[in-house]
Amino acid sequence: MSQPLLKCEHVDFGYENYDVVKDVSLEICQGDYLCIVGENGSGKSTLMKGLLGLLKPTGGSLMVSDDLKRSGIGYLPQQTPAQKDFPATVQEVVISGCLGKRGNRPFYSKKERETAAVNMERLGITDLRKSCYRDLSGGQKQRTLIARALCATDRLLILDEPITGLDPSTTQDFYRVIRHLNREEQVAVLMVSHDIQNIVVQANKILHLKQSVLFYGSVEDYKQTECGREFLGGGK
Amino acid sequence: MMELLREMLSYPFIVRALTGGLLISLCASLLGVSLVLKRYSMIGDGLSHVSFGALSVAVAFGWAPLAVSIPVVAAAAVLLLRITGNGKIKSDAAIAMISAGSLAVGIIVTSLTTGMTTDVSSYMFGSILAMSREDVVLSAVLSLIVLGMFILCYNKVFAVTFDESFARATGVRVSGYNTILAVLTAVTIVLGMRMMGAMLISSLIIFPALTSMRVFKSFSGVILSAGTVSVVCFFIGLVLSYVYSIPAGASVVVVNMGAFGIFSVIQAVRRR
């Protein structure tokens, strides 16, 4: 059994003096594909901020494996409106993923340029490397951002509602990319999403959140539970 | 042409305006790329009004103008960037509020004490005579800092501008960079506004960035082009202002508009 990449034990996250998320225990190992689901306001984003290290836990313990600590986490945030017309080449965006490892040295080394090249190749966007980010389609933008996240680490990807605004065929394409990284290259995936119908096909673990954990376990078991059936659209 | 330049440079006040102005337009354009892309375009306008308010108060009480206005404007800049972060008041509304508020304070203080003197009106619309030796030295220091930041921390500036949440998750101190950006913008505006005018200084921040974004597709391209466009436009603007005896600030803005037009045409031609 490999050491978990990320492990929470009875963790609470919150702001100032109230906790948004309470008593969450979860574990992500190499090759896992975990989805966090839940209604709006159920604390998904707070939990994710906490896992990314942007919020300090107010209780419990959060353990991050040593090599993730060194490289930072591969994170795919939601796209902001400001990025829509951002003048930057795909190459510039992808290589900015290496930033976490750089510390205070000012320029990218040859090795980091190679990392960027490898990850662009992995996602099939090498041809686009000189193209402008704002001219890309939604799917190509998403691939660029995944490549950037992989530059930070290829152990764990954290994705924040990644399919928002993608059309159905791009969505399927996106899931294919993630599944490939997960199955073939053993990248652990943690995704926050509303797209429950696709998730039950893609993921192997589910965490249903409503301030505290309603369900945490395999997708198969989830389909059998009360909250799972309700969330999946009842009566299945 | 050479004759004209030699004649211009024989006036010490023009030499000061030229050196200070070129340095300030360089700083403004580099900071501007980041500000425009982060959707803070109006911050320059807001800060120039705050600066007007602070300067009027300083003049009325006989304090040193820069020593009063630089800290006040810097504080306003930090505050404005924070407000967007919190999201309770939208940033455009916050900027409009603060700029109108400080303009009002400036006008009241002035009319109660000195009245609308030439000093105050030159703050509004700029005066080529405003650059003192001290201003030129400060502009040089400012541009060294700004250039240093853009060269040594170029990649971090890019990351923070492009995607704050990702930068934060990879361990970049985002709020630190935002504060530095705010303070440098504030100093640029205070130094530039007496020459360019409170009403016009924000153009130095916005125009070069927008102009360059018409044509260039990479962040590095936009940065380099913005710096160049800004410096060239300032130079042409100042020469025109001398030749036709028009206010320097307005003349620089009009040249910047021209550059924007030319780059837009280039973009349109390329698209076809």
Side-chain angles (χ1 to χ4, degrees), chain B residues 128-144:
Chain B
I128 197 168
L129 298 168
M131 271 279 160
S132 67
R133 181 173 291 275
E134 185 197 10
D135 292 345
V136 177
V137 173
L138 274 175
S139 317
V141 174
L142 171 75
S143 17
L144 277 181

Side-chain angles (χ1 to χ4, degrees), chain A:
Chain A
M1 188 68 202
S2 63
Q3 205 201 1
L5 295 166
L6 202 71
K7 188 174 181 178
C8 300
E9 276 172 348
H10 308 289
V11 160
D12 307 325
F13 288 115
Y15 304 93
E16 273 143 40
N17 40 26
Y18 78 107
D19 288 340
V20 180
V21 193
K22 286 195 192 94
D23 195 26
V24 176
S25 300
L26 64 86
E27 189 178 285
I28 299 164
C29 300
Q30 203 180 4
D32 273 352
Y33 193 149
L34 170 69
C35 270
I36 300 178
V37 299
E39 288 152 30
N40 292 334
S42 59
K44 299 191 299 284
S45 320
T46 309
L47 174 59
M48 203 177 54
K49 274 188 194 161
L51 295 177
L52 285 165
L54 304 178
L55 276 180
K56 288 246 174 322
T58 48
S61 76
L62 170 69
M63 195 219 72
V64 182
S65 77
D66 290 338
D67 47 303
L68 271 189
K69 256 184 216 152
R70 228 172 298 125
S71 62
I73 290 169
Y75 175 42
L76 186 88
Q78 290 187 39
Q79 296 189 31
T80 62
Q83 286 168 4
K84 288 218 176 78
D85 55 357
F86 202 97
T89 60
V90 168
Q91 166 124 23
E92 283 179 313
V93 174
V94 171
I95 203 168
S96 72
C98 297
L99 205 64
K101 300 176 198 163
R102 294 214 49 71
N104 285 320
R105 288 169 299 155
F107 307 108
Y108 291 120
S109 66
K110 197 174 169 220
K111 191 171 150 244
E112 279 146 349
R113 273 194 287 277
E114 275 163 17
T115 313
V118 167
N119 285 313
M120 283 191 279
E121 189 63 50
R122 250 168 152 178
L123 287 151
I125 50 172
T126 306
D127 295 345
L128 296 171
R129 70 183 181 283
K130 297 260 180 261
S131 313
C132 185
Y133 184 78
R134 66 182 163 203
D135 300 335
L136 302 180
S137 70
Q140 290 166 334
K141 279 187 181 143
Q142 208 61 306
R143 281 171 184 255
T144 306
L145 296 182
I146 297 171
R148 177 182 67 168
L150 288 173
C151 279
T153 176
D154 45 14
R155 295 305 185 85
L156 172 63
L157 277 182
I158 294 191
L159 311 158
D160 186 3
E161 305 196 4
I163 56 149
T164 313
L166 297 184
D167 63 52
S169 84
T170 317
T171 303
Q172 289 310 322
D173 185 55
F174 170 79
Y175 281 122
R176 231 180 344 263
V177 170
I178 296 295
R179 192 169 52 206
H180 175 83
L181 289 170
N182 176 250
R183 301 248 169 99
E184 315 296 324
E185 314 199 13
Q186 294 293 301
V187 182
V189 176
L190 189 154
M191 188 189 296
V192 170
S193 182
H194 284 296
D195 188 19
I196 187 77
Q197 304 301 342
N198 276 308
I199 281 166
V200 292
V201 184
Q202 302 290 336
N204 57 23
K205 280 206 236 165
I206 286 209
L207 189 148
H208 190 140
L209 195 67
K210 191 174 182 181
Q211 271 66 57
S212 58
V213 178
L214 288 186
F215 174 86
Y216 174 54
S218 76
V219 172
E220 298 313 311
D221 294 344
Y222 182 64
K223 286 181 190 161
Q224 306 306 319
T225 59
E226 186 86 5
C227 67
R229 277 208 300 271
E230 203 174 293
F231 212 63
L232 275 164
K236 260 194 185 172

Side-chain angles (χ1 to χ4, degrees), chain A residues 52 54 73 75 77 80-83 85-89 92-93 96-97 99-100 103-104 106-108 132-135 145 148-149 152, chain B residues 37-39 151-156 158-159 161-163 165-172 213-222 271:
Chain A
L52 285 165
L54 304 178
I73 290 169
Y75 175 42
T80 62
Q83 286 168 4
D85 55 357
F86 202 97
T89 60
E92 283 179 313
V93 174
S96 72
L99 205 64
N104 285 320
F107 307 108
Y108 291 120
C132 185
Y133 184 78
R134 66 182 163 203
D135 300 335
L145 296 182
R148 177 182 67 168
Chain B
L37 288 171
K38 283 158 85 73
R39 299 285 148 96
I151 294 170
L152 294 177
C153 307
Y154 170 77
N155 295 308
K156 286 185 179 155
F158 172 80
T161 310
F162 182 69
D163 192 339
S165 3
F166 182 84
R168 208 172 272 132
T170 41
V172 178
M213 281 164 62
R214 297 296 105 196
V215 171
F216 288 89
K217 293 187 162 195
S218 67
F219 190 67
S220 51
V222 170
R271 283 243 168 108

Side-chain angles (χ1 to χ4, degrees), chain B residues 38-63:
Chain B
K38 283 158 85 73
R39 299 285 148 96
Y40 291 145
S41 302
M42 285 312 288
I43 215 169
D45 204 43
L47 292 181
S48 61
H49 290 103
V50 175
S51 180
F52 171 81
L55 279 174
S56 322
V57 173
V59 169
F61 290 94
W63 298 330

